[in-house]
Amino acid sequence: MSANTHSAGTAAPAVTLTIAGSEATGGAGAQADLKTFQELGTYGIAALTCIVSFDPKDNWNHRFVPVEAGVISDQLEAIQTAYDLTTVKLGMLGTPATIDTVAKALQSQEWTNIILDPVLICKGQEPGAALDTDQALKAQILPLATFVTPNHFESMSLSGMDAIESVEDLQEAARRIHEASGAVVLAKGGVRLEGEDAVDVFYDGETMEVLRAPKVGDVAVSGAGCTLAAAITAELAKGSTPLAAAKTAKAFVTEGIRNRVSSHTPFDALWQGNAGAGPAL
Ligand code: PXL
């Protein structure tokens, strides 16, 4: 029985939490997640794990500052005490200490949906630190996830495959990641696989489905991965099946890339506004 109520007489919105980093220019991370939650009609909450500030003096590389573990657990204590949550999205966690803290908070209650966007390497980090983080994510977070959305690189890392060059390879990666985690997998080809379509592979242990949408240009847009996982999160929180959530999310992202916003950064950012009514796939 949920204690989340709404005073205006209308149905209370589904509540969605993102545990993610801030990306200061607003294209990715918690900012993208909250915009997506709002656009898809869920009540968005964020616990920040780190602050990423691109450096315009250094080719817009990532400057990465983790939030102290105690401050992350304070945020989660406030959030988990205030709301009876069913659904959480995990974005950039960034350090082994953060992963410990987040794993504990996840284990402190039951969840219906834990959506993991396994953001692996953060450019401003030392390779050694990033490797620790990747291993901790695989060992402590992946087994808790109910839905995981790896991109091309993350699919190789999580499946142990050396190369993913075709849709068949991506299907094999999705199968392996599902077998290792038990989670529903949406493995994203993005602009990394050749061909006219942006291809994602959905696999839940029974259904293997290839989702396609025509590529919108051939350059990756900031926030696409965050937005896709956040849209899946919102749709699952509202009661969609995993496959329906994946299809709605892909349509939302495709429309958001069509409507992208450019700035002085070398990459454009996805725009979530007006994407809710995007074409169904
Ligand atoms: O898109 C991956 C991502 C996720 N979260 C944060 C980021 C980025 C990429 O820049 O900064 C906070």
Side-chain angles (χ1 to χ4, degrees), residues 164-257:
I164 296 178
E165 285 165 1
S166 64
V167 176
E168 292 70 32
D169 290 348
L170 201 59
Q171 288 176 308
E172 177 59 22
R175 224 177 262 117
R176 291 191 194 192
I177 297 167
H178 171 75
E179 273 154 26
S181 65
V184 178
V185 179
L186 186 65
K188 302 173 285 185
V191 294
R192 293 300 181 111
L193 293 188
E194 282 180 17
E196 309 214 319
D197 290 340
V199 175
D200 298 326
V201 168
F202 176 94
Y203 185 60
D204 64 3
E206 283 174 19
T207 303
M208 173 75 78
E209 197 159 319
V210 178
L211 311 184
R212 295 176 181 275
K215 279 183 188 162
V216 185
D218 54 10
V219 178
V221 168
S222 172
C226 303
T227 300
L228 185 82
I232 289 170
T233 304
E235 292 305 303
L236 290 174
K238 292 188 292 183
S240 284
T241 64
L243 183 57
K247 288 183 175 175
T248 301
K250 186 161 171 71
F252 185 83
V253 166
T254 303
E255 195 58 16
I257 293 173

Side-chain angles (χ1 to χ4, degrees), residues 51-129:
I51 312 254
V52 171
S53 317
F54 299 141
D55 186 354
K57 304 181 298 309
D58 180 22
N59 212 18
W60 299 89
N61 271 323
H62 290 203
R63 291 176 292 199
F64 167 85
V65 178
V67 171
E68 222 176 274
V71 178
I72 298 173
S73 54
D74 286 353
Q75 295 174 74
L76 291 169
E77 181 188 21
I79 293 164
Q80 289 181 287
T81 310
Y83 286 97
D84 295 326
L85 298 165
T86 63
T87 302
V88 59
K89 185 211 141 173
L90 309 173
M92 186 185 284
L93 299 180
T95 72
T98 299
I99 287 170
D100 276 346
T101 305
V102 170
K104 282 201 189 83
L106 292 176
Q107 284 161 331
S108 72
Q109 66 159 91
E110 300 279 315
W111 300 90
T112 311
N113 306 297
I114 299 180
I115 297 90
L116 172 62
D117 187 15
V119 180
L120 284 187
I121 286 191
C122 172
K123 285 172 217 155
Q125 285 184 281
E126 297 297 317

